[in-house]
Amino acid sequence: MIERLLIANRGEIARRIIRTCRELGVETVAVFSDADADAAFVQDADLSVAIGGVTPGESYLRIDALLEAAARTGADAVHPGYGFLAENAPFAASVGDAGLVFVGPSPEVIAVMGSKLEAKRRMADAGVPLLPSAELTDLDDRQVLAAADQVGYPVLVKASAGGGGRGMRIVPSAGELLDAVAGAAREAESAFGDGTVYAERYVAPSRHVEVQIFGDQSGRVVHFHERECSIQRRHQKIIEEAPSPSLDDATRQALHHAAVRAGEAIGYSNAGTVEFLLAPPGADGQAEFFVLEVNTRLQVEHPVTEAVLGVDLVELQLDVAAGGVVPLQDEIGPVS
């Protein structure tokens, strides 16, 4: 059982985690920058530690300051929230090395899924459906053009690291490819410190559906149904809906099964999300779907799932991190 939890984040997600901890009787530790000294999440927590600085780089991204705060307050676990260091494998490893529980997947899984290219390789080995794609980094211009031709136009040039639409370009034809690759690589290098990019078949029109998964340390992975997130602006989700109105029963079951298979293939533990692209039905009337990526954290959109299914995903995160097990699949369903 986790007794004192340090929250390595700020704002809304810190307050969300504190709310569940209060209900469970788990003490909370907030860390705060100089800019957040008077913020509500600092007042909500049982204990708080100033870590200085104004920018994230001077505060919430400082692994040494976060671990020092945990040691000073006697915390026995760390929750990364979302954003900042939530999908940072060295941070997760450092938390474990300090003798603390990291509320999330293992550093190894975070590292693998942090590279979209490596994630694609793992998903392919597991037999999960993927869009045609090709790596573009370290190729000359002729090789880049040939690789994109194999993928088939239009293509989407994407950054291997990071997310949020950074390092992403839609390319309708070969004449625009090289400039798009160079621009995407520059943006990815600036945003994530990694300019690796790849090309993926661009499907339009399409729908974007994500499946909430949860694994435990015994190896069991279950799904908590799906969320539709097709309404986006600049590749950022605006509206989430559950259940998805785009799925028939057969496609929904197949999507859930593929998400669980993806989690099992990488030995996933704790909360995660498998994102899918849903293509229009083919000549046979059957819809196709493809894995886009796996997010190794609790997502901003998790309250949609909680409202529909009547679950507390943060509570389950804490329970699984402390050695608990996920519920059986047939125990998970919409509230009446």
Side-chain angles (χ1 to χ4, degrees), residues 1-5 21-22 24-28 46 318:
M1 176 66 182
I2 293 171
E3 296 183 357
R4 182 172 291 175
L5 178 74
C21 287
R22 186 175 293 127
L24 297 175
V26 176
E27 291 184 321
T28 53
D46 297 298
L318 298 175

Side-chain angles (χ1 to χ4, degrees), residues 67-280:
L67 294 180
E68 181 183 350
R72 283 173 53 191
T73 56
D76 55 357
V78 174
H79 195 307
Y82 45 65
F84 293 139
L85 295 168
E87 295 178 278
N88 185 291
F91 177 54
S94 296
V95 170
D97 291 344
L100 306 173
V101 174
F102 180 76
V103 182
S106 69
E108 294 76 19
V109 166
I110 294 174
V112 167
M113 293 297 104
S115 164
K116 293 184 179 67
L117 288 172
E118 181 59 28
K120 277 179 168 290
R121 285 189 277 268
R122 294 291 186 98
M123 296 300 101
D125 290 344
V128 177
L130 297 169
L131 286 166
S133 64
E135 300 181 34
L136 301 179
T137 301
D138 295 329
L139 302 182
D140 61 32
D141 289 354
R142 180 184 58 80
Q143 292 170 322
V144 166
L145 290 165
D149 280 340
Q150 282 196 318
V151 171
Y153 288 95
V155 300
L156 185 63
V157 177
K158 300 176 70 174
S160 178
R166 299 285 189 89
M168 189 177 291
R169 304 285 192 280
I170 299 171
V171 184
S173 63
E176 302 169 58
L177 179 66
L178 296 179
D179 285 345
V181 170
R186 284 194 301 270
E187 186 176 11
E189 179 66 38
S190 174
F192 314 122
D194 183 347
T196 304
V197 296
Y198 65 99
E200 184 176 77
R201 176 79 56 79
Y202 180 67
V203 177
S206 62
R207 311 286 290 185
H208 194 150
V209 181
E210 58 192 22
V211 178
Q212 178 75 60
I213 62 168
F214 233 105
D216 61 32
Q217 295 170 27
S218 74
R220 182 195 298 166
V221 178
V222 296
H223 68 79
F224 282 78
H225 297 224
E226 81 284 347
R227 299 183 293 259
E228 168 96 25
C229 47
S230 297
I231 300 177
Q232 301 183 12
R233 181 175 182 268
R234 296 179 180 174
H235 307 294
Q236 293 293 286
K237 303 161 190 173
I238 297 175
I239 295 176
E240 295 257 345
E241 182 179 1
S244 166
S246 305
L247 305 176
D248 56 38
D249 288 343
T251 304
R252 176 173 283 106
Q253 291 180 17
L255 200 75
H256 293 169
H257 179 69
V260 169
R261 196 161 73 244
E264 291 172 340
I266 57 176
Y268 201 89
S269 180
N270 219 277
T273 303
V274 185
E275 301 204 9
F276 292 91
L277 190 71
L278 185 68

Side-chain angles (χ1 to χ4, degrees), residues 287-311:
E288 284 189 294
F289 58 83
F290 309 92
V291 170
L292 290 176
E293 61 184 340
V294 179
N295 295 306
T296 56
R297 54 174 164 78
L298 190 70
Q299 284 195 274
V300 175
E301 308 88 348
H302 76 275
V304 176
T305 294
E306 293 182 321
V308 172
L309 301 185
V311 297

